[in-house]
Amino acid sequence: MATTIQLQPETKSRLDELKIHPRESYDETLNRLLDMAYDPEPLSEETLQQIEEGIADIRAGRLRSLEDIALELGLE
């Protein structure tokens, strides 16, 4: 069963710009965008711990600039 929704003209315009091809339906477009936005696989405890450690490093000033890393790798 289809449902009608109200969109502001600007929102419809944005959806039109996100279509892969002109004949893609709004339902297909929205489902594709929803699939991209939602990751059904949660982060592991190990990954969450690594993120926390990275945030702690940043807050403690233990970081290097992109320029320093590029120089070290000979990319500049």
Side-chain angles (χ1 to χ4, degrees):
M1 175 166 77
T3 301
T4 301
I5 61 171
Q6 292 183 348
L7 300 173
Q8 295 294 324
E10 298 83 20
T11 305
K12 182 183 175 298
S13 228
R14 290 176 68 194
L15 279 174
D16 287 335
E17 291 174 11
L18 293 171
K19 287 184 172 190
I20 292 176
H21 54 82
R23 295 189 63 188
E24 182 179 35
S25 71
Y26 291 113
D27 185 67
E28 292 168 325
T29 303
L30 288 170
N31 275 297
R32 182 171 44 79
L33 295 171
L34 289 169
D35 288 343
M36 290 170 33
Y38 174 71
D39 184 357
E41 186 175 319
L43 297 176
S44 69
E45 287 300 319
E46 179 184 358
T47 300
L48 290 172
Q49 180 62 35
Q50 291 171 340
I51 291 170
E52 289 297 327
E53 290 170 5
I55 291 170
D57 284 341
I58 291 169
R59 288 185 176 145
R62 293 185 297 264
L63 50 97
R64 296 177 7 192
S65 71
L66 178 60
E67 291 80 18
D68 288 345
I69 294 170
L71 282 173
E72 181 180 313
L73 297 173
L75 300 175
E76 285 198 14

